[in-house]
Amino acid sequence: MEFAELIKTPRVDKVLLHRPFHPTVGGTLCLTGHHLILSSRQDNSEELWLLHSNIDSIEKRFIGSSGTITIKCKDLRIIQLEITGMDESLNVASSIEALSTLDSITLMYPFFYRPMFEVTEDGWSSFRPEQEFELLAVETEDWRLSDVNQDFSVCPSYPSVVIVPKSIDDESLRKVAAFRQGGRFPVLSYYHRKNGMVMMRSSQPLTSTNGRRCKEDEKLINATLRPGKRGYIIDTRSLNVAQQARARGGGFEQEAYYPQWRRIHKAIERFNILQESLIKLVEACNDQSHNMDRWLSKLEASNWLSHIKEILTTACLAAQCIDREGASVLVHGSEGMDSTLQVTSLAQIILEPKCRSIRGFEALVEKEWLQAGHPFQHRCAQSAYSNSKQRWEAPTFLLFLDCVWQILRQFPCSFEFNERFLVTLFEHAYASQFGTFLGNNDFERNKLKLRQKTLSSGPGFTNPLYEANGLVIWPSVAPQSLLLWEGVFLRWNRSSKYLEDAYEEMIHIIEYNKDLQVRVNALRRQLAELETEDGMLETP
C-alpha cells in the first residue's frame, strides 16, 4: 500500500493552529505518510510535527465553508486546526483518520526513521540475560541459563533465554509451563545480594476446580527456598477473584501442595477498570469550569491515586518480605503480564540502587516489561480520548511510571534520571520514532526484525540532584504522600514557563555550589600547606 493513496489533500495553506497557552499560529499544513506538519513564516514560531500514530481521536465541526478539526493525542495534548474550505477540511480529516489507524506495524514510522545524527548507543543491548547471569554466577551457583524456550514454543510471551533454578532440568520446565497459564512458568526476576533471597514471577497455576497439581512446579518453587525457610506467594488478585478463576480453569497454589509458602492476596485492578480510570482522570484535568469541590470529587471518582496506592503497597510488601523477613517471593496474578510486572519492577527500584541509575532503569524496563512479555502493542493501542470500543487497552505501564515518579519525588537525590525521562518513556510507549515498544513480546519483535530494522530509545535525562544512594529506600504510601503527576496530566493545561525558569535557576544554584566547593577545597589545601611550612620554620 502507498501512503499517497490515503492522503487526499497533501497540502493546505492559511491553516490556523490553536493550542492552550500558545498564540494562534497561521501557516501551511502538510500531510506525509507519518506526520502532520504545520509550518509558519512567523518569527519565533516552531514547526509542529505530530506523528499520526500519536493521534487518539479527531472531532470535526463545520461552520459555513470552513471547518475546525480537533485532534486529541495519546500524549494527552489537544490541538485545533482551523481550515478554510469545506472540501479541504473533509479531505484533511479523512486522511488523518486513515493514517492514524493503520493496522500494519511495518508501516509505522520506526521502520522509516533515519536519524540525521550518528547513533552512538544501541538501546537494544541495554539488557542481556547472559550478562545478568554472569553477575549472578559470582554470587551463587544455584541458578542456570535455560534456552528451553529458544524457538518460543514453550512460552510465546517469554524471551528465548531465562534464568531458572539449577536443579530443574528443561523437561521439568516444559511440564511446569503446561501447568501455568500461557506457559509462563516461574523464572528469576531479582536476586537480593544482601541476603541471597530471590523474587520470581509467573502466571497463575491451572489448578481448576478439581485441584490439579504439578509436582515439577512444586519442586521448582521449593528450589528457591533455603533449608528451614518459608516463602511468600503474592497473588495480585483478591481471594474472591482467584477462586472464581478456578471455575475457568485457573486458580492458585493449594496450601497442601505448597506447605512452605504463605499466600497473600493483594487486589490490583487491570484492563478496562484502569482504562476507565485514566479516561475519568484526564476528563477531570481538562475540565476548567469546575470549582474546588467538583475537582476533588472528580479526582477521587477516577480512583487513579487509589490504584497507585495499591500497586506501591504491594511492591513495598514484596520488598519487605525479601529484605526484612529474609524470605523469597513468587509474584503472579492471572496472566502475569500486567500487575505482576508492576510489582516486581517497583520492588527492585526500592531494593536495588542500580535500578535507580539511567542504565539500570533502562535494563529494568527491558527485562521486566519488554522481555517479560508485557503486550505494549495491545495495551497502548489507545489512550484516554479514543472513541472506539476498548479491547486490550490499559495504562499499565503509565501507572508503573507514575509510581516511579511518586518514589522519585520522595527521594529526589536517589535517582540518576529525572521526571522528563519518565515522561519521555510514557510518550514512546504510545508513539515514537523508535521501535522499542512495538510488538507484544520478544517472539513478535524477532519476527518483525525490529533490532535490525529500527532503532531503540537512547539515553535518558540526567537528574542534577543525583547522589548515589546504596541503601534500600522505603517510600510512603500514605494517601497524603501521593500526588497527581502534574508533569503528565496537567502539562498541556498550564504554562510551563515558570517551571522551566525554576529548573534553570536550580541548575544555576547547583553549578554555583560546585564552583564554591572547588574553591573551598583549594583554600583548604593552601591552608594545609601553610600550616606545614609554619611547622617546619618553628622546628629548631
Side-chain angles (χ1 to χ4, degrees):
M1 185 200 72
E2 294 291 335
F3 290 114
E5 298 172 14
L6 303 177
I7 304 174
K8 297 180 179 179
T9 301
R11 170 176 170 154
V12 181
D13 293 319
K14 298 180 180 179
V15 175
L16 296 180
L17 169 66
H18 302 283
R19 293 176 293 178
F21 303 102
H22 287 80
T24 298
V25 175
T28 299
L29 176 69
C30 296
L31 294 180
T32 71
H34 296 106
H35 287 92
L36 179 156
I37 307 167
L38 191 129
S39 179
S40 173
R41 294 181 179 177
Q42 298 177 13
D43 293 337
N44 300 323
S45 63
E46 296 180 6
E47 284 188 333
L48 171 70
W49 284 68
L50 180 66
L51 277 170
H52 297 311
S53 56
N54 192 9
I55 296 174
D56 214 19
S57 70
I58 72 169
E59 297 171 2
K60 297 161 284 188
R61 185 166 54 91
F62 300 101
I63 302 175
S65 62
S66 65
T68 299
I69 301 174
T70 300
I71 298 176
K72 298 183 177 181
C73 303
K74 293 175 183 176
D75 62 8
L76 307 184
R77 74 179 125 166
I78 299 175
I79 64 173
Q80 283 189 335
L81 298 174
E82 195 175 315
I83 302 173
T84 303
M86 182 68 73
D87 290 341
E88 286 82 355
S89 299
L90 287 170
N91 287 343
V92 168
S94 63
S95 298
I96 292 173
E97 284 179 330
L99 291 165
S100 62
T101 54
L102 295 174
D103 289 330
S104 175
I105 294 179
T106 55
L107 292 177
M108 291 185 173
Y109 185 50
F111 285 91
F112 298 82
Y113 172 61
R114 297 294 178 267
M116 303 296 290
F117 53 86
E118 182 183 358
V119 178
T120 58
E121 185 172 337
D122 178 17
W124 290 114
S125 60
S126 60
F127 173 81
R128 296 188 183 280
E130 297 82 1
Q131 294 175 346
E132 181 78 1
F133 181 71
E134 287 179 9
L135 297 174
L136 178 65
V138 174
E139 304 286 339
T140 174
E141 298 179 350
D142 297 335
W143 300 83
R144 70 179 181 92
L145 273 179
S146 170
D147 60 359
V148 66
N149 197 44
Q150 190 169 20
D151 58 358
F152 302 100
S153 61
V154 175
C155 178
S157 61
Y158 267 0
S160 58
V161 178
V162 292
I163 301 177
V164 295
K166 194 173 186 177
S167 58
I168 307 299
D169 59 31
D170 284 353
E171 186 56 36
S172 296
L173 292 177
R174 292 187 180 91
K175 292 179 181 179
V176 177
F179 180 67
R180 295 274 171 174
Q181 181 169 339
R184 294 175 67 86
F185 55 91
V187 296
L188 181 67
S189 173
Y190 172 66
Y191 178 85
H192 196 41
R193 289 171 176 78
K194 176 181 173 182
N195 57 15
M197 297 299 106
V198 300
M199 179 165 55
M200 301 186 75
R201 50 175 160 77
S202 70
S203 60
Q204 67 176 338
L206 304 178
T207 57
S208 192
T209 52
N210 59 8
R212 180 184 170 210
R213 68 182 292 192
C214 175
K215 292 184 178 179
E216 288 81 7
D217 187 83
E218 297 159 22
K219 182 181 178 183
L220 190 162
I221 295 175
N222 288 333
T224 67
L225 296 178
R226 290 183 177 177
K229 286 282 189 178
R230 291 174 59 87
Y232 291 90
I233 297 173
I234 298 179
D235 193 324
T236 61
R237 305 165 294 178
S238 67
L239 177 58
N240 186 42
V241 170
Q243 288 174 335
Q244 290 174 1
R246 295 176 64 186
R248 299 189 296 273
F252 49 86
E253 293 80 3
Q254 301 290 325
E255 292 180 13
Y257 304 140
Y258 301 86
Q260 294 172 275
W261 293 83
R262 180 189 171 194
R263 196 177 69 250
I264 304 173
H265 290 271
K266 301 293 288 185
I268 297 177
E269 299 291 356
R270 302 178 304 141
F271 299 145
N272 62 314
I273 293 176
L274 297 182
Q275 189 69 8
E276 287 295 330
S277 177
L278 175 64
I279 292 170
K280 289 179 180 178
L281 176 62
V282 173
E283 181 185 313
C285 292
N286 288 340
D287 187 349
Q288 304 292 326
S289 63
H290 45 60
N291 56 28
M292 178 63 78
D293 290 342
R294 184 170 166 79
W295 155 248
L296 293 175
S297 176
K298 278 194 166 186
L299 179 61
E300 182 182 11
S302 75
N303 281 323
W304 185 263
L305 291 178
S306 296
H307 299 318
I308 296 290
K309 178 174 169 55
E310 290 167 359
I311 297 165
L312 277 174
T313 299
T314 308
C316 286
L317 172 65
Q320 185 173 354
C321 290
I322 293 169
D323 186 69
R324 293 183 174 175
E325 299 287 329
S328 290
V329 171
L330 169 66
V331 183
H332 72 71
S334 296
E335 296 89 352
M337 297 189 290
D338 290 278
S339 56
T340 298
L341 306 184
Q342 290 172 328
V343 172
T344 57
S345 50
L346 287 168
Q348 290 177 62
I349 288 173
I350 293 168
L351 294 170
E352 179 57 60
K354 184 173 67 175
C355 293
R356 298 171 224 144
S357 68
I358 292 175
R359 289 186 179 276
F361 189 78
E362 289 174 342
L364 181 73
V365 171
E366 176 71 29
K367 175 172 69 83
E368 291 297 304
W369 290 88
L370 293 161
Q371 292 189 17
H374 178 67
F376 280 97
Q377 200 69 38
H378 286 162
R379 298 292 183 265
C380 300
Q382 299 172 3
S383 186
Y385 298 124
S386 178
N387 298 317
S388 59
K389 186 178 180 181
Q390 298 171 18
R391 292 180 291 176
W392 309 289
E393 293 81 9
T396 310
F397 187 62
L398 174 56
L399 274 162
F400 160 69
L401 294 175
D402 198 329
C403 289
V404 176
W405 176 78
Q406 302 286 346
I407 303 174
L408 186 155
R409 190 184 58 78
Q410 294 183 28
F411 297 89
C413 299
S414 295
F415 289 80
E416 188 183 13
F417 52 87
N418 62 13
E419 178 187 16
R420 182 63 214 163
F421 181 42
L422 299 176
V423 174
T424 301
L425 285 175
F426 155 62
E427 293 173 341
H428 286 186
Y430 282 89
S432 84
Q433 68 270 41
F434 299 110
T436 310
F437 296 102
L438 294 182
N440 290 309
N441 48 57
D442 261 13
F443 176 51
E444 291 186 10
R445 293 184 191 101
N446 280 356
K447 283 198 343 185
L448 293 166
K449 297 183 179 179
L450 290 181
R451 290 176 180 270
Q452 293 80 23
K453 296 183 177 181
T454 71
L455 295 174
S456 185
S457 300
F461 298 83
T462 303
N463 174 15
L465 298 176
Y466 177 62
E467 293 181 6
N469 177 5
L471 302 175
V472 175
I473 57 176
W474 297 103
S476 169
V477 295
Q480 301 92 326
S481 301
L482 305 178
L483 300 180
L484 176 68
W485 189 4
E486 297 181 23
V488 165
F489 298 109
L490 295 180
R491 65 172 170 154
W492 307 113
N493 302 331
R494 62 176 188 184
S495 173
S496 61
K497 180 181 183 304
Y498 300 110
L499 291 174
E500 292 168 357
D501 290 347
Y503 184 78
E504 290 179 5
E505 181 64 22
M506 181 183 72
I507 297 294
H508 172 72
I509 292 172
I510 290 171
E511 292 300 323
Y512 182 60
N513 184 63
K514 287 180 180 177
D515 290 341
L516 289 177
Q517 193 63 52
V518 170
R519 291 168 60 187
V520 167
N521 291 337
L523 289 172
R524 282 176 176 166
R525 284 194 297 271
Q526 290 180 23
L527 179 60
E529 291 171 0
L530 290 172
E531 289 176 343
T532 302
E533 291 175 3
D534 288 346
M536 293 175 63
L537 291 173
E538 292 175 2
T539 302

